[in-house]
Amino acid sequence: MLNEMMYRPVVMPELVEYMRTAQAKFPGQLGQLEAFANELGIPIIPHETAKFLDFFCATIQPKDILEIGTAIGFSASLMAQHLQLDGHLTTIDRYALMYERAKENFAKLGLSDRISIIEGDAAEVLPTLSGPYDLIFMDSAKAKYIEFYPECMRLLKVGGVLVIDDVFQGGTILEDEADRPKRVRKIHRKLNELHQTVLNDPCHRSCLVPLGDGLLMVRKEG
Ligand SMILES: C[S@@+](CC[C@H](N)C(=O)[O-])C[C@H]1O[C@@H](n2cnc3c(N)ncnc32)[C@H](O)[C@@H]1O
């Protein structure tokens, strides 16, 4: 018998709306930062992804976190709340304005001692880092994920987790490259390469999570 659920979109718009409204807002200044970014259209993770990261970090209680793609510091501030006492979060952004804004926000939230922000292109910064990290959150230019993937795996502790955001391209990732507008073909090709590489990597455990525009999670195995 056909399982009709297999042929339905996994996340219906009503459910997306539900995930965004039924799950409580974050209290205090973190909630204000999320609301501010959403009002101004600053690209931060959607609320359902934020709730997932909040839950995940509370569960794994990371000591060291690396983030690629800071924007104004919302997801970094969210994750930093869960750092162990002697833990630290390092976040990278190449856009000077974002760097300045994030720095201000970390100070406002009293997180300046717990978060270091590096201004620069992750392509140049990643090879200079030695980690190791319990959690890496990659939320930057999508076409570069495949290039950063080996560096992220190098920087993870065994048992550490890499979370990659926005891997479905609004669901168009499954279309033929030729059917995609020319301007997005490179991202399309590189994201497909990332899926192929990660999902067929026999060395590490991975899974896809249909939250926001899709999360690809990889656990570094021994
Ligand atoms: C979607 S935003 C990050 C949102 C943030 N993680 C949050 O949810 O609060 C992506 C950020 O990645 C930065 N970025 C993109 N490509 C990058 C690269 N190659 N190196 C460093 N930063 C990059 C952009 O400047 C932008 O601020």
Side-chain angles (χ1 to χ4, degrees):
M1 199 178 138
L2 200 75
N3 175 359
E4 67 168 24
M5 289 312 289
M6 291 286 289
Y7 300 94
R8 284 197 182 161
V10 181
V11 184
M12 294 178 283
E14 307 89 279
L15 283 179
V16 173
E17 181 62 18
Y18 178 66
M19 287 190 283
R20 289 182 184 176
T21 52
Q23 300 192 91
K25 295 191 187 330
F26 295 102
Q29 291 190 318
L30 186 66
Q32 286 167 18
L33 186 57
E34 183 185 31
F36 171 81
N38 286 331
E39 265 162 39
L40 266 69
I42 297 167
I44 60 163
I45 47 171
H47 192 61
E48 64 274 24
T49 304
K51 292 302 276 193
F52 172 76
L53 268 191
D54 180 55
F55 183 94
F56 185 63
C57 288
T59 305
I60 67 165
Q61 300 194 344
K63 182 170 172 299
D64 294 293
I65 304 178
L66 174 66
E67 177 182 69
I68 308 168
T70 320
I72 61 169
F74 170 65
S75 53
S77 302
L78 168 67
M79 293 187 288
Q81 322 262 329
H82 298 286
L83 285 168
Q84 288 177 19
L85 273 184
D86 54 346
H88 199 82
L89 186 148
T90 302
T91 181
I92 310 168
D93 207 293
R94 64 181 173 187
Y95 187 16
L97 181 65
M98 292 296 181
Y99 171 87
E100 293 302 334
R101 289 278 194 83
K103 239 180 140 178
E104 283 168 24
N105 287 326
F106 297 149
K108 260 193 222 160
L109 272 83
L111 290 168
S112 301
D113 292 347
R114 317 218 65 199
I115 301 180
S116 309
I117 173 162
I118 303 175
E119 185 186 349
D121 194 310
E124 281 148 34
V125 176
L126 288 174
T128 69
L129 301 176
S130 49
Y133 300 98
D134 302 283
L135 172 65
I136 301 181
F137 181 51
M138 180 150 67
D139 185 19
S140 52
K142 319 300 162 222
K144 292 282 178 176
Y145 284 170
I146 183 71
E147 189 184 308
F148 299 161
Y149 176 63
E151 279 297 306
C152 290
M153 295 316 285
R154 175 183 71 79
L155 289 167
L156 270 185
K157 288 179 192 167
V158 171
V161 176
L162 166 65
V163 180
I164 311 175
D165 194 29
D166 296 327
V167 297
F168 287 158
Q169 281 286 287
T172 61
I173 193 74
L174 302 177
E175 292 177 10
D176 278 345
E177 188 181 325
D179 295 336
R180 302 294 303 139
K182 275 199 175 130
R183 65 189 157 76
V184 296
R185 282 188 195 161
K186 185 174 172 201
I187 298 182
H188 183 88
R189 189 168 59 250
K190 295 282 182 187
L191 268 181
N192 268 289
E193 251 181 70
L194 178 81
H195 281 242
Q196 289 298 320
T197 305
V198 174
L199 299 176
N200 297 309
D201 187 341
C203 299
H204 306 295
R205 199 177 294 267
S206 61
C207 72
L208 285 163
V209 184
L211 283 173
D213 191 24
L215 299 175
L216 175 52
M217 299 182 63
V218 193
R219 180 181 191 274
K220 180 168 172 171
E221 301 294 337

